[in-house]
Amino acid sequence: MAADERAVIEGVNGQLLIGGEWRDATGGGTLSVEDPSTGGTLCEIADATPDDAKAALDAACDAQAGWAASAPNDRASLLHDVFKLLGERVEELAVLMTLEMGKSVAESKAEITYASEFFRWNAGEALRMEGYYKPAGNAASRVLVMRQPVGPCYMITPWNFPMAMGTRKIGPAIAAGCTMVIKPAQLTPLSMLKLAELLQDAGLPDGVLNVITSSSSGAVSAPIISDPRLRKLTFTGSTEVGQKLIEQSAQGVLKTSMELGGNAPFVVFEDADVDDAVEGAMIAKMRNVGEACTSANRFHVHEDIAEEFATKLAERMGALKVGRGVEDGVDVGPLIDDDQRSKVAELVDDAVGKGAKALCGGAARDGAGYFFEPTVLTDVPDDANLLTEEIFGPVAPVRTFRTEEEAIDAANATEYGLVSYIYTNDIKRGIRVCEALETGMIGLNQGLVSNAGAPFGGVKASGIGREGGNEGIFEYLETKYVAINV
Ligand code: NAP
C-alpha cells in the first residue's frame, strides 16, 4: 500500500463508539478489513460482542429523552454542519471508501456527495415535522395530530454503499430526534467509523449515535432487537437477511424499514433514442461496479433495435478501464470479495452454457484482487439463472421483445420490485408502462433514480418503507392523536 493510502487508513479510529467514547471491544477482539483490489489486509478494527451491543443500546436509550427535547433548529444546524464537513473532506474520505470497497475514487466521491445530501435534505425536514388541528365530525370535539420521535433505533447497513446507506437513516433520525446504534457491514466499516468522527466534530451529543462493528452480525444484533427499549429496526441488505430480521422484530412489534434486494429491468422501446438508452444503461449497469440494488439486472430491448443497442453497449462497456479504484483513469474497480466474483462467474458460465453469447468480457481476471470484466451477453435463454437472481456485478444480459405487453410481462416477472428503467419517446406509452410496472421507483429515460429528495424504496420482496423525500422522516416519527373535548 502506498504511503498516502496508509495514512488514510491510519486516520480511522477502529474502535467502537459507545456513549461518546471510543473503546475496544470487550475482551479486545478484532476483525480484519481487506482491500478487495489486492486481497491484502488494510487494518484491524474492534470486533464487538453482544455485551458491547447492549452497552451501545444502553447509551442510545440514556440519550433519547434529552435528544428528543433538543431544539429542531439545533438539529437542523448540526445537519448543515455535517453536510459542509463532508464536502470539505471528500477527497480523503473517497480514498478511504475506495480502499475498503473497491470502486473508483470518482465513484466514491459521488457516493459521498449523495450521502451528504441526506444531511442537507433532513436539515429542512427537522423544521417540517408537521401535525395538524381540525374539526371532528361532531360539534363538541377537535382533532389534534402531533409527530414525535419513534425512540431508539437500530440500523444495519450493507457493504455496497458504505456511507450513503447509513446517512439515509442517520439524517432523518437526527432530524426527528431519535438516538441510534448503527452496525455497518464488516466488509466496509471504515467509512462509517470516519463519518461518526465527523458527526462528533460537528457537535452531536454523546450517545445519540453509537457504532458497533462486528464479525458476528447475528449474535450482536439479537440482544438489541429483542430489547423492549428498542423502538425501530431499519435494515438495508439482502431480502434473505431482511426476512429473518422481520421475524425477529415481530416479537417486540418493532416499527421496521426494509430496503432489500432488486432485479431491475431496463426496457428499451423501438421509439427510444438508442444512444440515450445506451448512455442510461451505462449508469444503470455500471454504477458501483454493478453492485447496487438499483443495478439494471436485465435488459429487455425491442427486437428492431436490440442488435444496435447491444453492439453499442458492448463497445462502451468493453472500453472501460478495469483496475484498482485508487489509480488514475480507472473506471471499474474489483468486486467486493472472492465469493461475489465466483457468484458472478457462475451466473455468466450458466448463461453461456445454455446458449448466451458474450459480446465483450465474460470472465474474471486472473491475479490479485477480485476483478471481473465488464460483460454484455446476448441470446440469453429463458432459463438462465441471471434473469432471476441479483447479479451484483458488471454483467448486462440483453433479451428481446416484440410488443408492449410482452415487455411489461417480462419486466414484472420477478419476485422483486425495487426499480425499473424505461426508455421511450412516446409520452403516452411512458405513462402507461409506468402505471403497469410493479415497482417502487422508475427511471423514465433516466438511468439513475437515487435522490435525497425522493422516496427511495421497493414493493414485493424489495422491502417496506421509504428513505428520503417527504416520506423519509415519517419512518422515524410516531403519529399521536389527541381527541379534544371543547
Ligand atoms: P446482507 O448480507 O443482507 O448484509 C447486510 C447487513 O446485514 C450487513 O451489515 C450484515 O452484516 C448484516 N447481517 C447479515 N446477517 C445478519 C443477521 N443474521 N442479523 C443481523 N444482521 C445481519 O447484504 P449485503 O451483501 O451486505 O448487501 C447486498 C444486498 O443489499 C443486495 O441484495 C442489495 O440489493 C441490497 N441492498 C439494498 C438496498 C436498497 O436500498 N433496497 C441498497 C443497497 C443494498 P455483515 O456483513 O457484517 O455480516
Side-chain angles (χ1 to χ4, degrees):
M1 197 191 313
D4 52 341
E5 293 169 17
R6 168 68 43 213
V8 167
I9 295 297
E10 284 172 355
V12 181
N13 189 333
Q15 293 172 297
L16 312 174
L17 177 61
I18 299 179
E21 277 179 25
W22 291 91
R23 51 164 111 157
D24 290 335
T26 308
T30 60
L31 67 91
S32 309
V33 183
E34 199 180 83
D35 176 348
S37 70
T38 62
T41 299
L42 288 173
C43 59
E44 295 285 326
I45 60 163
D47 190 358
T49 64
D51 283 346
D52 297 319
K54 183 168 175 308
L57 182 63
D58 288 345
C61 293
D62 290 348
Q64 180 58 57
W67 184 235
S70 63
N73 269 339
D74 293 345
R75 300 202 296 270
S77 298
L78 188 139
L79 287 163
H80 271 302
D81 290 349
V82 189
F83 169 74
K84 277 193 221 129
L85 273 175
L86 282 170
E88 287 160 19
R89 305 278 295 274
V90 67
E91 300 286 334
E92 164 206 342
L93 293 169
V95 172
L96 177 66
M97 187 180 287
T98 292
L99 287 171
E100 68 172 341
M101 191 274 167
K103 64 187 163 198
S104 71
V105 169
E107 282 214 75
S108 292
K109 282 187 196 170
E111 178 183 338
I112 293 160
T113 302
Y114 172 53
S116 72
E117 289 295 345
F118 288 94
F119 293 126
R120 178 153 67 172
W121 173 263
N122 283 291
E125 290 300 88
L127 307 176
R128 285 196 291 266
M129 293 180 288
E130 291 156 1
Y132 54 89
Y133 175 79
K134 66 171 194 174
N138 61 69
S141 298
R142 300 290 182 270
V143 172
L144 173 67
V145 170
M146 60 178 81
R147 315 281 181 198
Q148 293 182 308
V150 164
C153 304
Y154 183 39
M155 307 174 163
I156 304 177
T157 55
W159 51 263
N160 64 340
F161 289 99
M163 193 181 284
M165 297 304 96
T167 64
R168 284 201 323 203
K169 304 181 189 302
I170 297 170
I174 289 178
C178 294
T179 60
M180 59 211 105
V181 176
I182 188 160
K183 192 206 77 62
Q186 59 182 300
L187 291 171
T188 60
L190 305 180
S191 298
M192 183 49 61
L193 289 168
K194 202 69 199 167
L195 177 69
E197 284 181 40
L198 256 63
L199 282 157
Q200 279 193 310
D201 292 348
L204 191 70
D206 293 348
V208 172
L209 173 78
N210 304 277
V211 187
I212 54 169
T213 50
S214 180
S215 62
S216 343
S217 302
V220 295
S221 298
I224 299 183
I225 297 170
S226 63
D227 192 306
R229 295 171 301 167
L230 186 75
R231 294 314 316 138
K232 178 175 176 74
L233 171 66
T234 168
F235 171 75
T236 301
S238 62
T239 296
E240 193 188 356
V241 173
Q243 284 164 330
K244 281 189 203 152
L245 293 172
I246 291 169
E247 272 181 39
Q248 290 177 36
S249 307
Q251 207 59 34
V253 196
L254 280 180
K255 191 173 168 87
T256 56
S257 300
M258 294 282 148
E259 296 287 345
L260 308 178
N263 178 357
F266 189 106
V267 181
V268 189
F269 288 98
E270 66 278 21
D271 53 53
D273 180 317
V274 174
D275 292 329
D276 275 0
V278 169
E279 198 60 47
M282 289 298 290
I283 300 166
K285 181 70 256 180
M286 293 309 298
R287 177 169 175 247
N288 225 43
V289 201
E291 293 171 312
C293 52
T294 51
S295 205
N297 209 58
R298 303 166 282 141
F299 291 81
H300 300 286
V301 187
H302 191 274
E303 60 183 7
D304 290 353
I305 54 166
E307 192 177 337
E308 182 190 356
F309 175 87
T311 306
K312 287 181 168 171
L313 185 62
E315 273 167 18
R316 293 284 302 276
M317 280 180 55
L320 293 173
K321 187 174 171 196
V322 180
R324 282 193 82 211
V326 285
E327 284 167 13
D328 283 345
V330 163
D331 303 298
V332 185
L335 295 173
I336 189 67
D337 61 11
D338 200 29
D339 285 350
Q340 188 57 31
R341 182 174 60 172
S342 302
K343 186 192 144 198
V344 174
E346 271 169 34
L347 288 172
V348 170
D349 290 349
D350 167 73
V352 170
K354 290 170 178 167
K357 295 194 184 82
L359 295 191
C360 64
R365 277 205 179 168
D366 293 335
Y370 310 118
F371 298 97
F372 199 95
E373 298 288 348
T375 299
V376 176
L377 300 175
T378 58
D379 300 307
V380 180
D382 285 346
D383 61 345
N385 293 337
L386 45 51
L387 297 176
T388 48
E389 290 181 32
E390 214 177 0
I391 303 170
F392 248 52
V395 178
V398 181
R399 308 247 305 161
T400 59
F401 66 85
R402 278 183 299 275
T403 66
E404 186 177 306
E405 196 183 3
E406 247 180 71
I408 292 167
D409 287 347
N412 285 339
T414 168
E415 71 197 281
Y416 296 105
L418 188 63
V419 59
S420 305
Y421 304 92
I422 316 168
Y423 274 74
T424 176
N425 280 330
D426 177 342
I427 182 72
K428 288 186 179 176
R429 165 177 272 164
I431 298 293
R432 259 194 325 266
V433 178
C434 282
E435 287 184 358
L437 291 177
E438 297 164 356
T439 187
M441 301 175 287
I442 296 171
L444 179 54
N445 295 322
Q446 185 161 312
L448 181 72
V449 294
S450 302
N451 178 336
F456 188 104
V459 300
K460 293 158 77 178
S462 289
I464 304 169
R466 294 293 181 270
E467 293 191 325
N470 302 346
E471 291 81 355
I473 190 130
F474 286 105
E475 304 283 328
Y476 297 88
L477 292 172
E478 284 293 5
T479 296
K480 185 181 278 175
Y481 149 57
V482 186
I484 307 173
N485 185 303
V486 290

